[in-house]
Amino acid sequence: MKMMSWGDALWLGLTARFARVGRLRRAVLMLAAAACTAAAVLYWKQQTDDSANRPLHSMYSGIEPQWSWLCQHDRCERYQASDTTTLQSLQTCNMLCASTQLWPQPTGPVSLASAAVPVRSDRFSLKVIASPSRDVTKHINEAFIVMQNHMRTLEHGVVGENRRSDIGPPRDVLVKVSVNGSGDPRMRLDTNESYKLALRPSGNSLVVDITAHSFCGARHGLETLLQVTWLDPYAGSLLILEAATVVDAPRFPYRGLLLDTARNFFPVSELLRTIDAMAANKLNTFHWHVSDSQSFPWKLDSAPQLAQHGAYGPGAVYTSDDVRTIVKYARIRGIRVLMEIDTPAHVGRAFGWGPEAGLGHLAHCIEAEPWSSYCGEPPCGQLNPRNPHIYDLLEHVYREIIQLTEVDDIFHLGGDEVSEQCWAKHFNDTDPMDLWMEFTRQAMHVLERANGGKAPELTLLWSSRLTRSPYLERLDPKRFGVQVWGASQWPESRAVLDAGFRSVISHVDAWYLDCGFGSWRDSSDGHCGPYRSWQQVYEHRPWATETPESAAWPVEGGAACQWTEQLGPGGLDARVWPRTAALAERLWADRAEGATADVYLRLDTQRARLVARGVRAAPLWPRWCSHNPHACL
Amino acid sequence: MALHGLLALMTTMHLAGVLCNVESTFDEITPQIYEPSWMYKCVPDEGCQRSEHPRPTLSDNSTSAFFDSLDVCRIVCGRFGGIWPKPVTAALSSQTVKIHPNYLRYDLLNVPAETRELLVEMTQVISNNLLAECGGHVTEVVDTQVVVIIVVKTAITSLNWNTDEQYMLDVQTRGGEVSVHIEAETIYGARHGLETFSQLISSDKRDFSDVEHCGLVLVSGAKIRDRPIYKHRGLVLDTSRHFIPMVDIKRTIDGMATTKMNVFHWHATDSHSFPLEASRVPQFTRYGAYSGSEMYTTEEIRELIHYAKVRGIRVVIEIDAPAHSGNGWQWGREYGLGDLAVCVNAYPWRHLCIEPPCGQLNPANPNMYRVLRNLYQDVADLLNSPPLLHMGGDEVYFGCWNSSQEIISYMKDQGYDTTEEGFMKLWGEFHNKALQIWDEEISAKGLDPQPVMLWSSQLTQAQRISQHLDKERYIIEVWEPLNSPLLTQLLRLGYRTVSVPKDIWYLDHGFWGRTVYSNWRRMYAHTLPRDEGVLGGEVAMWTEYCDAQALDTRVWPRAAAVAERLWSDPTSTVYSAEPRLQRLRTRLIARGLRPDAMSPAWCSQHDSKCL
């Protein structure tokens, strides 16, 4: 049964409902040309005689430096508090002035009140109205607690300041969630992530209706609800918009961030924080490039030798329990964990124990020198495709990945930067490209076995020589997809897409977050540059600038890639955020608009949200510009 | 006392493959359950190398010592061990001795009484740093006595360009006792000696350890003679574009002390915000701070200056003027003083300043100089003697002054044309009036006139500078890019300079516009002219795109590369410095900083294998 939400009613033209909240101020219609969706933003003002809602403002009396922001001509202007009769914080002004302050911008109609009321995290309650399964209900409950905890974290920001009493009592908020659709809470390739949110006053309290077709959609709704809730530092209280409706769905189904934990090790806490920040931006795929030639930190239950020989040290290991923790944490946040054990290249010492165990050489060229002859960066290593044990081992690895992550519709085989020289040195009877093709087939074969005899719906390979003609033709586009990382100007993305391979875009010239930090070796090659600014990340829309040869390109989405040759735990957040937030809106909303004033404003607010969540995101501009946003554009 | 590395080695069980030459399938193998526990050996000319096997056996019978801990390997491997910046000469033993901070004693009998209090504070910092190597708790207790005898020859406690920073450090281990001798002219030299002493010490924890157990080991013998090449080794931190909380500034100071930098150039104010509390002019923060919690109180500033002094660092406060002044100066009219600054927050900004918000002091208004005098008085009260003021002086936009009728008529009265040269005269007049005020205020404190610092600008161009700025009084901080001849020209004219080539030593570059990021290698490779007139250099952290969240990783370890350039000015290669810098990085992490990674951890476990 489908309940008619307040938002639906609004769009059926029942504007009479506005009268109860206030008079219609204006309507702005924005057209997102490429996405062909129209987002209408409506504002209405509180009744001026409703004194209960007014005390957000008060007289300035302090001697401390203090600013007040007033919404004038659709922008927040800063005033010396002593020069104005009202005292309003920047946060509250932003939330109630012209921009939606939502990130990523919803793709459907949005209407937001321009009045706020005080709330408290412990006065939110949840009611699951409809749910297709117990599992989904359980996940909704947990996601609700996550949201409440974030609100609590915000409230901790008022330590030392007393909550002002004149803003009125905090309202109760009842959150009603209905999920009609999939009983599987996992993020799947076919998950419908759309949701509708309607927030309205009801007597002295507020009622929120979130309707979705999946747990993930409902969770996105809670995330949006969190975004219309903020801490007002002057009031010393959380505030929430008095009314809102949001209709929303993502443009692309795959929205990812890759983190490389092999070049440098990142403790579990760093991964969890990153995943939480991803959830704040409605990203849905944590692409975990867990191993590489430098290290193998994951201690598998079925093959602990890999970490024993491959980890940097006893404290640089992810156990199965760690992986489970990460997967569960991500699941509640609507995120799939896509673990990649890169093969056949990008392997190292972790595979060096074969001879000692009587299994022969599992890999060749391990730490071979000079490295430049056998791989792209030190240390070298490449699996031995002629050793049958390697496929046994991979089957164990794949089985454990699928069991732990419970992701069985999508898989990543790695498959980039194979050194033909390395194999040519050991197998001079066969074309290394044939070896590579054969290896890929066999890997696919054991993947099927590991997945209960069934190939995952989408098995990704990195773009490489193997995904270029004449080898591309030998791969089956029904089984393989390609994560395209070559520069956007290179013809390879076109070729892959024109050939009908489902693709994830990770163009090095737009979405590689490691670029621009110079070379970490004495030799000057092997690094990319310059730094990709958040504006560049945001404005990259290769699907809009190029036209497909025939039918629409099967672009599944994209992922930002954080390789970590020159990044350790301490610097992770500032490198990844807010740039990956820019990517998130590109993939969620895909607005035709570039990095305009409105985008600056909303991203600046989103960056502040991330910082409040404990993420060390880098600033967009000087703080004065946050205080005076329109003066810096 | 024992040869620590070897002992640990003997306890290592022999493992090796048990199934040699027997064909088996993967499933049949019962894996040995153990964690990777690499060992390291010091290989001449290569550095510390990780063992081949995660549980190495004694079958490798080379004579090189083995170490459980990479950090311990680093402090004895190579001529300069784990010392950063590189000392002039060092002879280090390849053996180590276990120590514990409880049995560490400082003997200050040969230190002038008037410096003893400060020196005690300095030793406390060092002791805390030793504890930090073990995360605050040294679990392995040994009762080896370590006595640090410090000899300081002069009672000088002031810090300036004449401060003698050289030191001698000797470590000897005999009969279960370690004696450490540090000898210096000043306590600042002694502090550097203590810093170097702390860099002869490492925790014996394994790399990426997962155990609580932690002991400290010290290089058992050392003979070090050291002094800096350049007198001025600074870091600029901008606290106006973003407010940087005191705790983050102090952590930055800790990093500077670790790398023997000696000038904290505090770009405290700019047109964006004025976070520096001035007790005589509370309006500065009231109108200029981002909020009541984003300002530095007089009390906090005093404490910071002392904090820096204990770490051998002089604080230079920069009040940038006449440009880069705006927010904090906009209240004049309200108080009946007229416009103290013009074009404050003017919009559109493009013709009035380099970046928004605009603002430039009003040199036509005598009240501006009155307020400036009050500010200078406050700064003089705060700084340690002899006080060093940075007057700013960069990026003056004549378009801004030209937009003020008041200034144009003032210029007419003074007989200045409204041409470029006329505005230059106005600008030069500002600096000389400001300098006179500064001189008067410090002379009121009984001090001789002191040189002041000034950024290079149009006013400091070779053909113009001598008409406006006295070379005895102004030290020019040259930030022109490398290809500019200005530095050489100023040296030829006899000016003293501090060098900050923006295209190499600006830490904010690479994140905006067309600027290019300099990594530590590039920063390290840059050399300054060896000239009496070059006092030294600085590395600059402008904060338009950086705040406390990103601060550490933007600054470290790159600032350390500049620190070694300025202290040692080495002729050796960048590559030979890398193992020591890797050790410095782990030391900074132990001391609570968050430096960036320089390479994959594999490369730090295999010195010289990632060329």
Side-chain angles (χ1 to χ4, degrees):
Chain A
M1 193 198 97
K2 191 167 182 306
M3 225 183 56
M4 180 172 282
S5 73
W6 188 69
D8 292 328
L10 177 66
W11 284 91
L12 290 169
L14 302 180
T15 47
R17 283 175 175 268
F18 280 113
R20 273 205 282 139
V21 193
R23 82 191 146 82
L24 182 67
R25 197 166 72 191
R26 83 181 169 281
V28 183
L29 191 70
M30 295 184 297
L31 278 174
C36 291
T37 58
V41 187
L42 303 171
Y43 299 93
W44 64 94
K45 201 163 89 175
Q46 67 192 100
Q47 284 171 309
T48 45
D49 60 350
D50 184 2
S51 53
N53 287 336
R54 279 187 58 202
L56 295 177
H57 305 156
S58 73
M59 291 297 293
Y60 170 77
S61 59
I63 48 156
E64 291 275 277
Q66 200 161 30
W67 304 99
S68 183
W69 282 266
L70 303 181
C71 181
Q72 289 179 336
H73 313 294
D74 294 341
R75 55 175 64 171
C76 289
E77 300 274 1
R78 188 176 83 160
Y79 293 90
Q80 192 76 34
S82 51
D83 293 344
T84 65
T85 52
T86 55
L87 180 62
Q88 179 169 251
S89 69
L90 175 63
Q91 292 86 335
T92 299
C93 185
N94 277 336
M95 289 303 299
L96 304 183
C97 201
S99 163
T100 67
Q101 298 292 298
L102 300 177
W103 192 277
Q105 180 80 301
T107 53
V110 175
S111 52
L112 303 173
S114 61
V117 293
V119 287
R120 240 169 53 185
S121 60
D122 56 4
R123 303 282 281 270
F124 278 71
S125 54
L126 170 71
K127 192 169 179 189
V128 180
I129 304 291
S131 166
S133 71
R134 279 178 114 166
D135 210 8
V136 166
T137 309
K138 184 170 152 271
H139 277 73
I140 294 170
N141 276 295
E142 292 184 37
F144 179 79
I145 291 168
V146 169
M147 180 195 75
Q148 236 179 344
N149 284 339
H150 282 310
M151 291 180 176
R152 203 161 288 140
T153 308
L154 286 176
E155 283 171 332
H156 289 158
V158 291
V159 174
E161 268 176 86
N162 289 329
R163 187 177 167 280
R164 278 210 348 246
S165 53
D166 56 349
I167 60 166
R171 309 289 182 90
D172 289 326
V173 184
L174 175 62
V175 182
K176 302 200 295 198
V177 177
S178 312
V179 174
N180 302 296
S182 172
D184 186 343
R186 291 177 292 175
M187 180 60 71
R188 315 279 295 165
L189 278 167
D190 59 1
T191 294
N192 179 343
E193 296 179 76
S194 66
Y195 69 93
K196 286 179 193 167
L197 176 143
L199 159 67
R200 62 193 154 85
S202 165
N204 277 332
S205 55
L206 297 171
V207 175
V208 184
D209 281 303
I210 293 173
T211 57
H213 301 291
S214 68
F215 159 70
C216 295
R219 189 219 74 86
H220 293 328
L222 291 172
E223 201 67 55
T224 301
L225 179 61
L226 187 59
Q227 292 194 357
V228 298
T229 312
W230 69 98
L231 175 75
D232 184 296
Y234 295 175
S237 166
L238 288 187
L239 301 180
I240 193 168
L241 291 184
E242 190 182 42
T245 64
V246 176
V247 179
D248 200 7
R251 162 79 170 80
F252 290 104
Y254 184 109
R255 304 179 306 281
L257 167 66
L258 173 146
L259 179 66
D260 163 8
T261 60
R263 271 57 179 259
N264 274 297
F265 179 79
F266 293 80
V268 172
S269 59
E270 300 269 322
L271 270 50
L272 297 181
R273 198 175 62 250
T274 302
I275 287 168
D276 187 52
M278 289 175 66
N281 292 284
K282 301 191 176 82
L283 289 164
N284 67 6
T285 305
F286 178 63
H287 179 168
W288 187 0
H289 183 84
V290 65
S291 70
D292 212 294
S293 61
Q294 284 89 347
S295 81
F296 195 110
W298 177 27
K299 188 169 162 186
L300 288 98
D301 289 334
S302 60
Q305 297 96 324
L306 293 168
Q308 281 157 6
H309 291 257
Y312 284 132
V317 167
Y318 304 108
T319 64
S320 296
D321 278 344
D322 290 336
V323 177
R324 272 184 215 104
T325 304
I326 290 162
V327 166
K328 179 161 190 289
Y329 190 90
R331 167 96 50 86
I332 300 163
R333 286 161 179 77
I335 293 170
R336 70 165 71 83
V337 176
L338 184 65
M339 280 181 102
E340 178 204 349
I341 299 296
D342 202 351
T343 60
H346 289 279
V347 303
R349 180 63 60 199
F351 291 85
W353 46 273
E356 163 190 312
L359 298 178
H361 287 285
L362 297 172
H364 288 304
C365 316
I366 296 175
E367 298 176 7
E369 290 190 300
W371 61 265
S372 52
S373 303
Y374 305 107
C375 60
E377 71 180 37
C380 297
Q382 206 153 286
L383 293 183
N384 174 2
R386 291 264 171 90
N387 184 341
H389 296 303
I390 201 69
Y391 301 103
D392 269 1
L393 179 57
L394 286 180
E395 189 179 331
H396 281 87
V397 173
Y398 294 164
R399 181 166 285 131
E400 211 162 319
I401 288 178
I402 293 166
Q403 274 169 3
L404 283 175
T405 63
E406 297 181 47
V407 175
D408 55 11
D409 57 340
I410 177 165
F411 201 85
H412 206 302
L413 285 179
D416 59 325
E417 298 182 314
V418 166
S419 160
E420 291 169 42
Q421 289 92 315
C422 169
W423 278 348
K425 189 179 158 206
H426 291 88
F427 312 105
N428 54 12
D429 57 334
T430 315
D431 179 352
M433 290 307 294
D434 290 335
L435 284 174
W436 189 359
M437 187 59 79
E438 187 48 35
F439 171 86
T440 307
R441 276 210 194 97
Q442 298 239 37
M444 192 64 198
H445 178 66
V446 294
L447 171 59
E448 271 177 42
R449 283 184 18 191
N451 195 34
K454 183 166 139 280
E457 185 188 330
L458 177 62
T459 301
L460 289 168
L461 292 171
W462 286 106
S463 59
S464 65
R465 194 168 168 207
L466 199 70
T467 63
R468 284 198 286 275
S469 196
Y471 307 103
L472 181 66
E473 291 80 349
R474 291 161 65 183
L475 294 172
D476 180 0
K478 289 197 184 65
R479 295 157 75 85
F480 288 104
V482 180
Q483 186 163 5
V484 182
W485 65 276
S488 55
Q489 301 311 315
W490 297 358
E492 68 169 38
S493 5
R494 278 201 69 98
V496 162
L497 287 160
D498 282 337
F501 284 87
R502 295 165 78 174
S503 298
V504 172
I505 306 289
S506 291
H507 288 147
V508 60
D509 52 349
W511 292 346
Y512 264 35
L513 304 178
D514 60 316
C515 295
F517 292 89
S519 177
W520 47 277
R521 305 187 297 267
D522 253 18
S523 45
S524 61
D525 59 335
H527 63 280
C528 51
Y531 181 79
R532 318 313 187 202
S533 68
W534 72 261
Q535 293 93 333
Q536 282 169 285
V537 171
Y538 190 81
E539 290 176 355
H540 188 58
R541 297 180 78 203
W543 47 83
T545 49
E546 303 215 12
T547 26
E549 205 166 69
S550 52
W553 278 341
V555 177
E556 293 292 319
C561 294
Q562 183 59 72
W563 304 104
T564 59
E565 280 92 348
Q566 301 186 79
L567 182 69
L572 178 63
D573 293 11
R575 200 68 70 79
V576 171
W577 309 104
R579 292 189 290 163
T580 303
L583 173 92
E585 176 155 300
R586 170 56 52 220
L587 294 172
W588 180 278
D590 194 28
R591 307 157 80 232
E593 213 178 296
T596 58
D598 175 68
V599 174
Y600 269 83
L601 261 176
R602 288 185 298 106
L603 187 56
D604 199 29
T605 297
Q606 180 70 353
R607 186 257 172 182
R609 285 189 190 110
L610 290 172
V611 171
R613 274 167 106 130
V615 179
R616 297 180 168 276
L620 272 63
W621 54 9
R623 184 145 167 77
W624 187 85
C625 299
S626 297
H627 278 194
N628 302 271
H630 294 279
C632 285
L633 293 164
Chain B
M1 182 188 105
L3 295 187
H4 173 63
L6 268 177
L7 251 192
L9 198 60
M10 315 253 268
T11 61
T12 305
M13 296 269 295
H14 179 83
L15 174 91
V18 267
L19 296 170
C20 298
N21 304 323
V22 182
E23 262 302 308
S24 58
T25 71
F26 174 71
D27 282 325
E28 287 164 3
I29 294 172
T30 311
Q32 296 282 334
I33 300 303
Y34 57 85
E35 302 296 347
S37 42
W38 306 103
M39 297 188 81
Y40 295 86
K41 68 177 173 185
C42 174
V43 180
D45 301 326
E46 282 188 19
C48 295
Q49 298 296 325
R50 196 176 83 174
S51 51
E52 290 276 307
H53 196 278
R55 263 215 169 170
T57 64
L58 281 169
S59 62
D60 185 344
N61 53 11
S62 83
T63 50
S64 322
F66 279 82
F67 304 91
D68 291 340
S69 153
L70 176 56
D71 281 348
V72 172
C73 179
R74 290 214 192 285
I75 59 171
V76 296
C77 198
R79 211 174 124 206
F80 298 99
I83 305 170
W84 189 279
K86 182 196 267 191
V88 175
T89 63
L92 303 179
S93 163
S94 60
Q95 305 193 345
T96 60
V97 52
K98 293 191 180 197
I99 63 164
H100 191 278
N102 287 0
Y103 296 90
L104 176 66
R105 226 157 34 78
Y106 298 97
D107 177 342
L108 308 184
L109 291 175
N110 294 305
V111 168
E114 41 293 42
T115 68
R116 218 168 272 161
E117 196 180 322
L118 198 53
L119 195 54
V120 166
E121 285 187 73
M122 289 171 168
T123 60
Q124 283 162 352
V125 172
I126 298 301
S127 294
N128 284 337
N129 285 340
L130 296 187
L131 286 173
E133 278 290 307
C134 274
H137 193 45
V138 183
T139 58
E140 187 173 352
V141 182
V142 290
D143 59 3
T144 308
Q145 298 288 328
V146 182
V147 182
V148 182
I149 300 161
I150 303 179
V151 179
V152 173
K153 292 177 183 159
T154 68
I156 295 169
T157 58
S158 66
L159 253 179
N160 59 26
W161 295 298
N162 300 322
T163 303
D164 188 324
E165 296 179 282
Q166 67 179 313
Y167 68 91
M168 289 163 34
L169 166 66
D170 291 316
V171 178
Q172 282 187 309
T173 305
R174 221 180 272 139
E177 263 193 29
V178 182
S179 63
V180 180
H181 284 265
I182 293 174
E183 206 172 306
E185 289 293 317
T186 66
I187 48 165
Y188 299 105
R191 193 218 73 88
H192 293 324
L194 284 166
E195 180 59 51
T196 302
F197 166 65
S198 77
Q199 299 193 1
L200 298 174
I201 294 166
S202 272
S203 93
D204 63 0
K205 274 199 174 189
R206 289 180 185 281
D207 212 18
F208 297 100
S209 168
D210 59 350
V211 295
E212 289 301 308
H213 175 89
C214 186
L216 291 181
V217 301
L218 164 70
V219 176
S220 62
K223 197 176 177 68
I224 293 167
R225 302 291 175 269
D226 201 10
R227 64 183 165 74
I229 299 292
Y230 292 101
K231 302 165 177 149
H232 187 110
R233 305 179 303 280
L235 181 141
V236 185
L237 181 65
D238 166 6
T239 61
S240 177
R241 273 59 176 261
H242 274 101
F243 176 80
I244 308 290
M246 264 305 169
V247 59
D248 299 287
I249 297 182
K250 285 183 178 170
R251 201 173 57 250
T252 306
I253 299 268
D254 291 344
M256 291 174 68
T258 308
T259 53
K260 301 192 177 80
M261 296 179 96
N262 67 357
V263 178
F264 177 64
H265 172 168
W266 190 359
H267 185 85
T269 69
D270 209 294
S271 57
H272 297 68
S273 77
F274 201 115
L276 200 70
E277 185 183 60
S279 52
R280 290 173 176 83
V281 194
Q283 289 93 335
F284 279 128
T285 43
R286 174 137 184 234
Y287 288 79
Y290 288 125
S291 73
S293 56
E294 289 164 289
M295 52 179 274
Y296 309 105
T297 65
T298 304
E299 210 44 40
E300 287 172 327
I301 299 164
R302 264 210 190 97
E303 196 198 320
L304 178 72
I305 289 169
H306 182 72
Y307 187 91
K309 185 177 185 174
V310 170
R311 287 156 182 80
I313 294 163
R314 173 161 56 153
V315 176
V316 177
I317 292 184
E318 179 186 349
I319 304 293
D320 204 348
H324 290 283
S325 309
N327 288 283
W329 289 90
Q330 72 277 45
W331 44 272
R333 243 175 231 223
E334 203 178 310
Y335 285 77
L337 299 177
D339 284 330
L340 300 173
V342 290
C343 8
V344 178
N345 300 345
Y347 192 84
W349 53 270
R350 279 177 206 282
H351 298 292
L352 302 173
C353 60
I354 185 87
E355 62 178 289
C358 297
Q360 227 156 266
L361 295 187
N362 177 2
N365 182 354
N367 289 325
M368 181 275 286
Y369 287 107
R370 279 176 51 202
V371 174
L372 189 66
R373 179 184 296 275
N374 284 335
L375 177 58
Y376 282 177
Q377 283 172 329
D378 282 334
V379 171
D381 286 350
L382 287 167
L383 291 176
N384 287 325
S385 181
L388 177 58
L389 174 72
H390 197 305
M391 283 194 177
D394 56 325
E395 298 180 318
V396 169
Y397 265 52
F398 297 151
C400 168
W401 277 344
N402 202 19
S403 71
S404 156
Q405 201 46 54
E406 184 187 358
I407 292 175
I408 291 168
S409 37
Y410 172 81
M411 288 173 72
K412 221 168 259 165
D413 294 348
Q414 300 298 306
Y416 302 157
D417 311 329
T418 48
T419 59
E420 185 172 273
E421 284 315 308
F423 281 111
M424 289 292 171
K425 284 180 189 159
L426 181 65
W427 184 359
E429 176 196 291
F430 168 81
H431 283 305
N432 289 316
K433 280 188 176 176
L435 179 59
Q436 193 186 343
I437 292 171
W438 177 247
D439 284 348
E440 285 166 15
E441 290 314 320
I442 61 171
S443 131
K445 292 177 169 295
L447 292 167
D448 294 334
Q450 295 293 320
V452 295
M453 291 181 73
L454 202 64
W455 289 107
S456 57
S457 66
Q458 280 173 286
L459 194 67
T460 69
Q461 283 178 4
Q463 78 280 11
R464 191 178 281 134
I465 185 167
S466 313
Q467 302 157 42
H468 300 287
L469 304 168
D470 180 356
K471 67 182 174 197
E472 299 305 319
R473 302 306 315 283
Y474 291 95
I475 289 161
I476 309 300
E477 180 158 15
V478 181
W479 58 286
E480 266 69 11
L482 270 192
N483 61 13
S484 156
L486 185 65
L487 181 64
T488 340
Q489 290 169 340
L490 292 179
L491 291 173
R492 210 173 295 140
L493 289 170
Y495 282 87
R496 284 169 294 171
T497 60
V498 169
S499 176
V500 195
K502 66 172 177 178
D503 48 349
I504 302 280
W505 284 358
Y506 267 24
L507 295 162
D508 63 318
H509 277 204
F511 296 94
W512 57 275
R514 294 184 170 196
T515 57
V516 175
Y517 182 87
S518 292
N519 64 9
W520 78 267
R521 296 162 176 280
R522 193 154 172 259
M523 291 198 166
Y524 189 86
H526 175 62
T527 57
L528 301 182
R530 289 275 192 107
D531 185 300
E532 267 300 291
V534 179
L535 298 177
E538 293 184 352
V539 60
M541 185 71 255
W542 303 107
T543 56
E544 279 93 342
Y545 304 98
C546 174
D547 63 7
Q549 306 295 335
L551 181 66
D552 285 24
T553 48
R554 296 275 161 92
V555 174
W556 306 104
R558 292 189 291 159
V562 176
E564 175 152 306
R565 173 56 56 206
L566 295 170
W567 178 278
S568 331
D569 197 20
T571 51
S572 47
T573 59
V574 171
Y575 132 73
S576 69
E578 185 156 347
R580 281 185 302 109
L581 191 55
Q582 293 281 12
R583 177 65 189 97
L584 177 81
R585 181 175 173 270
T586 58
R587 189 175 297 121
L588 290 174
I589 291 171
R591 295 183 185 186
L593 286 87
R594 293 185 297 271
D596 239 347
M598 299 180 284
S599 68
W602 189 90
C603 300
S604 77
Q605 294 182 334
H606 298 79
D607 281 345
S608 77
K609 299 290 185 198
C610 289
L611 299 182

